[in-house]
Amino acid sequence: MTNNNANRQHRYVIIGAGMAGILAAIKLREAGKHNIRVYEKADRIGGTWRENTYPGLTCDVPSHSYTYSFAPNPEWSRHLPPGAEVQAYFESVVAKYNLEDIISFNEEITQCEFSDDQWRIKTSRGNSDCADFVIAATGVLHHPRIPRIEGMETFKGDIFHSARWDHSVALDNKRIAVVGTGSTGVQIVTALADRAANLCHYQRTPQWIMPVVNGVFSEEEKALFRNDPVALKGIQNDPELEANIERFSVAITEPDSAAMHEIENIVTQNLEQSISDPELREKLRPQYRAACKRLIYSENFYVAAQKSNVDILLEGVNKIEENGIRSADGTLREFDVIVLATGFEADRFMRPMTITGENGVTLEQAWSERPSAYMSVSIPDFPNFFMLNGPSGPVGNFSLIEIAEHQWHYISQLMALVENGECRKVSASQSALSKFDEARIAAAKKSIFGSGCQSWYLDAQGIPATWPWTRSQFKEAMQKPDFAAYCLG
Ligand code: NAP
């Protein structure tokens, strides 16, 4: 079916000015589309890198990989970049591509409804918009998971979630509790061990730790990257790193592979060789397989864990009182500061926004069982609505920027059908999603994420909510859509 839309300027609305929203805006402009509006709920760009400012915040993906392919950065200071540097990088990209004027800050989209082939949008400021395409780039980890702990409101000291760090609170020589031992908790404990008078790390479930050396790029290296684009591209596409990432993705999908056994070996040796006290070593030894939870990369967490002012506690937090945390055995530990490094509600995506597709189908209805999207980008009955880093996408210890770039390549081919007038709307068919999900779930159950641990990778039914195949299979799948899997209207 053709239509007369082909030559008019389509309007694109992007939800979120984080890494993926910035990417979408740049790519649209590059393709000659100028009718773009980005809605950002906060007052600045940056997404997760804006919201997380905790001490020790470091990206565990190598800096030159955690970089847009089209915006290399010779200035990265370290192999693993500090969070503030990542935020500064995104700000520099936004400035370089002059995106500020198309971003509405402090304006959250509250409602999106598809009618008459357009998305009717309402925002928290009471404004309305109308778009041909909506690109949801809301990210995954932006709703802090704050546990309901008895007595939490009675605590007289300072208590906050890791993604809502209160920088007015003094930390030096204070008695600090850190609850949670994901990537965040581990980084915070490592950073605060030297500063706190006493630091208790509540590890309900210990983690495997992958050793890493976070080297500094010398001034000579940075000068080389500045002056030699080939050297800069070379480190961005480092073949050794590429091979390691691919190997890691094979390990995730094939838990009995040599690649996985190699990872298990490294993390076990790290524990055995780094922790001298046998009792502490056993406390820190996870009872599930390596990489079942997102693998934690740390240069010196085990050094921090062995400091005399640091206590590793193998217990959850059931009760908080005005002076501290009371354990199940009745012991009260007193604190000045309690940090909740308790993770995020990873299944929220665009929610709590109200999104209504064709025939009055709401997102809540479409996702009543679990968040799902064909190839991670398109939901049946939600035409011309695409997601970057949506449900069932690849997650793991690799760059989500790269993942989003591949997804953009795929999505742009679907949007082109409408832009070129071949149809007015496009969304995945229900049968394509069902087939995709069936195969995905079967493979996901066999992946390392389904090997018997609790993590934010699992959906409400305990099934890994991730892309369960290798990274190269993902790249292959993103080359070109199977158009037969889509309903064109
Ligand atoms: P997380 O991996 O979900 O870890 C949450 C931690 O909180 C777990 O140890 C969990 O224990 C614990 N917890 C939750 N509720 C609790 C309760 N009521 N009592 C006691 N403990 C409780 O969250 P995260 O560390 O914030 O990391 C989330 C993700 O953010 C990472 O996996 C990663 O993708 C991303 N991140 C990335 C970087 C990076 O360098 N790229 C850095 C930080 C974060 P259980 O295990 O027992 O449930």
Side-chain angles (χ1 to χ4, degrees):
M1 188 192 298
T2 57
N3 68 75
N4 57 8
N5 276 349
N7 294 320
R8 74 177 174 85
Q9 270 279 343
H10 291 89
R11 181 156 177 83
Y12 302 80
V13 158
I14 299 168
I15 314 176
M19 170 277 282
I22 295 167
L23 167 74
I26 292 171
K27 288 288 174 185
L28 284 170
R29 281 243 181 111
E30 198 179 88
K33 324 284 180 197
H34 293 285
N35 194 357
I36 309 167
R37 174 70 24 200
V38 184
Y39 289 96
E40 169 52 57
K41 66 182 177 183
D43 61 354
R44 283 181 306 139
I45 63 104
T48 195
W49 299 104
R50 173 197 63 233
E51 306 217 340
N52 285 283
T53 57
Y54 60 77
L57 174 65
T58 306
C59 179
D60 63 7
V61 174
S63 44
H64 286 279
S65 299
Y66 202 77
T67 302
Y68 296 114
S69 60
F70 51 85
N73 175 21
E75 309 303 333
W76 290 121
S77 67
R78 308 189 74 107
H79 291 186
L80 304 176
E85 223 173 282
V86 179
Q87 173 67 14
Y89 168 71
F90 287 127
E91 283 170 5
S92 74
V93 171
V94 166
K96 179 175 169 193
Y97 286 86
N98 287 316
L99 298 180
E100 287 94 343
D101 56 332
I102 58 165
I103 305 175
S104 295
F105 290 105
N106 297 309
E107 188 154 16
E108 188 169 357
I109 294 183
T110 52
Q111 207 179 311
C112 281
E113 191 173 344
F114 192 74
S115 75
D116 298 331
D117 297 342
Q118 292 221 307
W119 284 99
R120 319 275 159 179
I121 291 159
K122 294 213 164 76
T123 78
S124 55
R125 289 188 161 187
N127 294 327
S128 300
D129 203 337
C130 196
D132 299 287
F133 299 98
V134 173
I135 292 114
T138 54
V140 189
L141 304 171
H142 61 124
H143 292 290
R145 186 171 58 207
I146 315 244
R148 277 191 218 102
I149 303 172
E150 186 190 335
M152 200 155 84
E153 65 293 342
T154 65
F155 183 58
K156 280 192 175 153
D158 293 291
I159 181 166
F160 45 81
H161 187 272
S162 54
R164 298 285 180 273
W165 199 271
D166 183 345
H167 289 276
S168 70
V169 172
L171 302 167
D172 292 316
N173 300 316
K174 299 292 178 192
R175 299 163 302 171
I176 302 174
V178 176
V179 183
T181 185
S183 305
T184 305
V186 163
Q187 291 184 348
I188 293 171
V189 166
T190 308
L192 295 187
D194 280 334
R195 298 176 58 186
N198 172 265
L199 196 159
C200 287
H201 191 189
Y202 285 82
Q203 298 208 346
R204 192 166 66 178
T205 319
Q207 291 266 17
W208 289 109
I209 307 288
M210 178 63 87
V212 66
V213 177
N214 188 8
V216 171
F217 287 112
S218 66
E219 284 311 313
E220 290 74 26
E221 284 172 305
K222 286 194 265 180
L224 173 71
F225 296 145
R226 249 173 250 138
N227 300 322
D228 182 352
V230 177
L232 187 54
K233 266 280 163 239
I235 185 150
Q236 213 177 351
N237 301 323
D238 178 4
E240 195 182 322
L241 183 66
E242 282 284 305
N244 281 344
I245 297 171
E246 184 59 24
R247 202 165 157 70
F248 184 79
S249 81
V250 168
I252 288 171
T253 52
E254 295 173 30
D256 291 324
S257 59
M260 183 48 78
H261 291 310
E262 191 186 329
I263 290 172
E264 284 173 333
N265 238 334
I266 297 171
V267 296
T268 307
Q269 287 308 310
N270 190 28
L271 177 66
E272 302 294 346
Q273 289 166 9
S274 307
I275 305 292
S276 51
D277 172 17
E279 200 180 317
L280 179 61
R281 198 185 309 136
E282 290 322 303
K283 270 189 175 178
L284 289 168
R285 191 186 300 279
Q287 300 302 320
Y288 55 86
R289 295 189 64 184
C292 182
K293 289 170 182 276
R294 182 188 165 102
L295 205 52
I296 295 183
Y297 284 69
S298 178
E299 197 168 26
N300 38 22
F301 172 65
Y302 283 155
V303 175
Q306 292 176 95
K307 286 186 186 291
S308 57
N309 62 329
V310 173
D311 288 308
I312 302 291
L313 303 174
L314 284 189
E315 56 194 58
V317 174
N318 298 317
K319 194 166 180 218
I320 296 181
E321 298 181 0
E322 59 178 33
N323 292 320
I325 295 175
R326 188 163 309 265
S327 305
D329 69 1
T331 315
L332 175 71
R333 288 188 179 80
E334 298 197 349
F335 297 110
D336 303 304
V337 182
I338 299 176
V339 177
L340 301 169
T342 44
F344 300 85
E345 308 284 356
D347 65 348
R348 300 284 83 203
F349 296 97
M350 299 82 78
R351 297 178 285 185
M353 198 180 302
T354 308
I355 306 181
T356 311
E358 285 196 299
N359 310 316
V361 178
T362 65
L363 187 70
E364 289 303 328
Q365 288 167 338
W367 283 3
S368 58
E369 200 174 347
R370 61 169 60 84
S372 64
Y374 179 67
M375 287 290 165
S376 172
V377 303
S378 173
I379 313 168
D381 295 323
F382 292 76
N384 304 348
F385 185 104
F386 300 103
M387 278 176 288
L388 292 171
N389 295 125
S392 334
V395 286
N397 296 81
F398 42 74
S399 170
L400 282 185
I401 299 185
E402 188 206 351
I403 299 302
E405 287 194 17
H406 289 302
Q407 288 172 331
W408 185 264
H409 176 72
Y410 180 97
I411 289 168
S412 58
Q413 295 172 67
L414 293 169
M415 292 199 296
L417 298 174
V418 179
E419 291 160 347
N420 299 336
E422 289 172 51
C423 60
R424 289 172 292 113
K425 52 193 177 183
V426 53
S427 60
S429 71
Q430 190 59 57
S431 63
L433 175 61
S434 301
K435 251 168 86 180
F436 170 76
D437 256 353
E438 197 183 319
R440 187 193 68 74
I441 288 168
K445 284 178 176 168
K446 291 187 201 147
S447 73
I448 194 71
F449 303 143
S451 67
C453 70
Q454 195 44 249
S455 82
W456 67 266
Y457 289 166
L458 304 183
D459 66 21
Q461 281 86 36
I463 296 166
T466 53
W467 177 267
W469 301 291
T470 64
R471 176 167 161 271
S472 53
Q473 285 169 308
F474 171 76
K475 280 161 77 170
E476 176 69 30
M478 291 296 104
Q479 281 303 307
K480 193 172 188 293
D482 169 9
F483 293 109
Y486 287 87
C487 294
L488 312 183

